């Protein structure tokens, strides 16, 4: 149990592997609905999602990056990701952090993204 749960007098039942797998599938599905407006590929396939943590209380924290630090939608994209994730009924909250270490590069893209962008 983490400090926040003990402070509030709440106890969280650990998520089963089946629950975590189902939430993971839903998270990926929702992340694939968010696109970088300058690139016709979703942020998941672009490799912009670095880390997703799901707590036993179904709070989600996502570390993501951008293709470039000066991306014109840098201030908006984390909100788009939060909004997409919050569409999952089981999710209690979502927080998105922008990180730039390690820097994004095309090697993080999936084969599907490379195919869509003719990068083979």
């Amino acid at each position: 149990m983490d400090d926040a749960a003990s402070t509030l007098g709440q106890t969280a039942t650990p998520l089963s592997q089946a629950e975590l797998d189902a939430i993971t599938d839903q998270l990926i599905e929702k992340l694939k609905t968010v696109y970088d407006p300058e690139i016709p590929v979703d942020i998941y396939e672009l490799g912009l999602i670095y880390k997703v943590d799901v707590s036993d209380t179904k709070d989600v924290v996502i570390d993501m990056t951008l293709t470039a630090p000066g991306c014109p939608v840098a201030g908006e994209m984390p909100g788009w990701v939060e909004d997409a994730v919050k569409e999952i009924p089981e999710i209690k909250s979502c927080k998105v952090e922008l990180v730039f270490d390690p820097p994004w590069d095309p090697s993080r893209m999936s084969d599907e993204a490379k195919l869509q962008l003719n990068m083979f």
Side-chain angles (χ1 to χ4, degrees):
M1 178 168 36
D2 65 11
D3 290 336
S6 63
T7 313
L8 297 174
Q10 300 171 345
T11 57
T13 304
L15 294 175
S16 69
Q17 189 60 51
E19 287 176 300
L20 187 57
D21 290 346
I23 290 172
T24 298
D25 290 344
Q26 291 175 315
L27 285 166
I28 291 169
E29 181 181 319
K30 289 300 181 183
L31 290 171
K32 286 184 169 197
T33 67
V34 180
Y35 283 77
D36 183 318
E38 297 178 328
I39 305 171
V41 178
D42 67 77
I43 62 168
Y44 184 81
E45 297 297 339
L46 278 174
L48 299 181
I49 302 299
Y50 282 2
K51 182 173 78 171
V52 178
D53 286 328
V54 180
S55 73
D56 290 334
T57 56
K58 298 180 183 166
D59 295 297
V60 176
V61 178
I62 297 173
D63 285 354
M64 69 169 291
T65 195
L66 303 169
T67 54
C71 178
V73 294
E76 299 170 54
M77 195 175 294
W80 299 344
V81 173
E82 282 183 24
D83 291 344
V85 168
K86 286 178 181 176
E87 290 178 7
I88 301 169
E90 297 83 10
I91 298 302
K92 182 178 169 189
S93 70
C94 178
K95 181 178 180 184
V96 178
E97 297 286 336
L98 275 180
V99 297
F100 295 100
D101 188 33
W104 179 86
D105 66 72
S107 70
R108 295 185 172 278
M109 294 170 41
S110 69
D111 288 344
E112 181 180 317
K114 290 177 185 175
L115 185 62
Q116 283 182 283
L117 297 173
N118 294 318
M119 293 183 69
F120 277 109

